[in-house]
């Protein structure tokens, strides 16, 4: 059997995606080890989840740092010591600077609640509702220096129905997210999916468009 994939998971809040990864590992569906859970918010509920499962947690509170560069440098030093195979952003609400991203090129993943490239940034559900969209979704992408702009690896869509609220979309999105991150990490662990020089390869073939996730 392969060595477990080593993950560092960065959170800012509830941590339900973190929980889905923990559950997949504990159920034997994902051959991975979470080497560190890092939060920029002391009160993130995800820290409680991590501690309950005996994981190492670390708070690097951005408010303690005078600027973004010093926050990024501290995070970078810590992650260089942990040296994970992948840095998994799971509801991590800070923008990481180009220096940080360059230091971990091809190793940072993010999950975003929209069908990228549509609705980058915040409040994606409200904006999709305001625009009368009929379809919305979730994307997991490689992190590059531009916000929510790295190549999309895996995407899932769901319908927006009449009367749906932001909470309805959150619920629909989360249900998919919790399946998608463990699935994608399995592919990385099996080297079915590989990332090199900002390019994605699935079963050795260059991935020219996102994989459509079907639950
Ligand atoms: C998710 O909806 C994710 O797409 C976005 O932040 C949310 C995090 O949720 N980036 P949780 O903290 O994993 O519950």
């Amino acid at each position: 059997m392969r060595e477990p994939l080593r993950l560092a998971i960065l959170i800012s809040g509830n941590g339900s995606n973190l929980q889905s990864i923990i559950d997949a590992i504990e159920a034997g569906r994902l051959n991975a080890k979470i080497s560190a859970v890092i939060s920029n918010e002391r009160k993130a509920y995800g820290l409680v989840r991590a501690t309950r499962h005996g994981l190492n947690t670390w708070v690097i509170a951005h408010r303690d740092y005078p600027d973004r560069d010093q926050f990024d440098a501290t995070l970078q030093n810590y992650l260089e010591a942990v040296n994970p195979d992948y840095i998994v952003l799971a509801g991590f609400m800070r923008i990481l600077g180009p220096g940080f991203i360059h230091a971990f090129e091809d190793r940072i993943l993010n999950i975003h609640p929209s069908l990228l490239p549509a609705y980058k940034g915040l409040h994606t559900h409200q904006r999709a509702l305001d625009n009368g969209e009929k379809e919305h979704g979730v994307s997991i992408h490689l992190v590059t220096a531009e916000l929510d702009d790295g190549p999309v690896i895996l995407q899932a869509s769901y319908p927006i129905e009449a009367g749906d609220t932001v909470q309805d979309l959150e619920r629909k999105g989360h249900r998919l997210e919790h399946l998608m991150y463990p699935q994608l990490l399995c592919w990385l662990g099996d080297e079915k999916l590989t990332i090199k020089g900002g390019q994605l390869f699935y079963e050795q073939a260059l991935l020219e468009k996102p994989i459509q996730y079907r639950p």
Side-chain angles (χ1 to χ4, degrees), residues 17 109-117 136-143 150-157 173 175-188 193 195 200-202 207-215:
N17 279 284
L109 306 167
N110 184 40
I111 192 159
H112 182 79
S114 79
L115 292 172
L116 290 172
H136 197 40
V138 177
S139 306
I140 300 179
H141 65 97
L142 181 67
V143 174
V152 177
I153 309 170
L154 185 63
Q155 217 160 38
S157 55
R175 193 179 67 81
L176 290 164
E177 291 185 6
H178 299 160
L179 300 169
M180 288 165 73
Y181 242 151
Q183 172 66 84
L184 184 138
L185 294 170
C186 271
W187 289 338
L188 287 170
L193 176 70
I195 306 175
L200 313 169
F201 299 86
Y202 188 79
L207 198 63
E208 310 221 18
K209 54 184 176 28
I211 300 170
Q212 293 305 310
Y213 181 77
R214 302 197 197 289

Side-chain angles (χ1 to χ4, degrees), residues 82-104:
V82 171
N83 192 28
D85 295 314
Y86 291 94
I87 297 169
V88 176
L89 308 186
F92 183 68
M93 302 303 286
R94 298 300 296 171
I95 294 172
L96 296 163
F100 179 95
I101 290 167
H102 184 65
F104 300 103

Side-chain angles (χ1 to χ4, degrees), residues 56-115:
N56 293 325
T57 61
W58 197 260
V59 175
I60 303 176
H62 59 279
R63 293 183 193 88
D64 294 348
Y65 295 86
D67 57 39
R68 188 189 302 284
D69 285 352
Q70 293 186 52
F71 171 75
D72 281 5
T74 306
L75 191 59
Q76 181 174 335
N77 283 339
Y78 183 68
L79 283 166
E80 278 170 356
V82 171
N83 192 28
D85 295 314
Y86 291 94
I87 297 169
V88 176
L89 308 186
F92 183 68
M93 302 303 286
R94 298 300 296 171
I95 294 172
L96 296 163
F100 179 95
I101 290 167
H102 184 65
F104 300 103
E105 210 161 16
D106 294 337
R107 292 161 65 195
I108 315 175
L109 306 167
N110 184 40
I111 192 159
H112 182 79
S114 79
L115 292 172

Side-chain angles (χ1 to χ4, degrees), residues 4 29 35 39 44-45 47 53 58 64 81 116 122 127 131:
R29 284 182 278 119
S35 306
S39 175
Y45 182 63
L47 292 170
H53 291 267
W58 197 260
D64 294 348
L116 290 172
L122 297 174
R127 285 154 59 210
N131 286 341

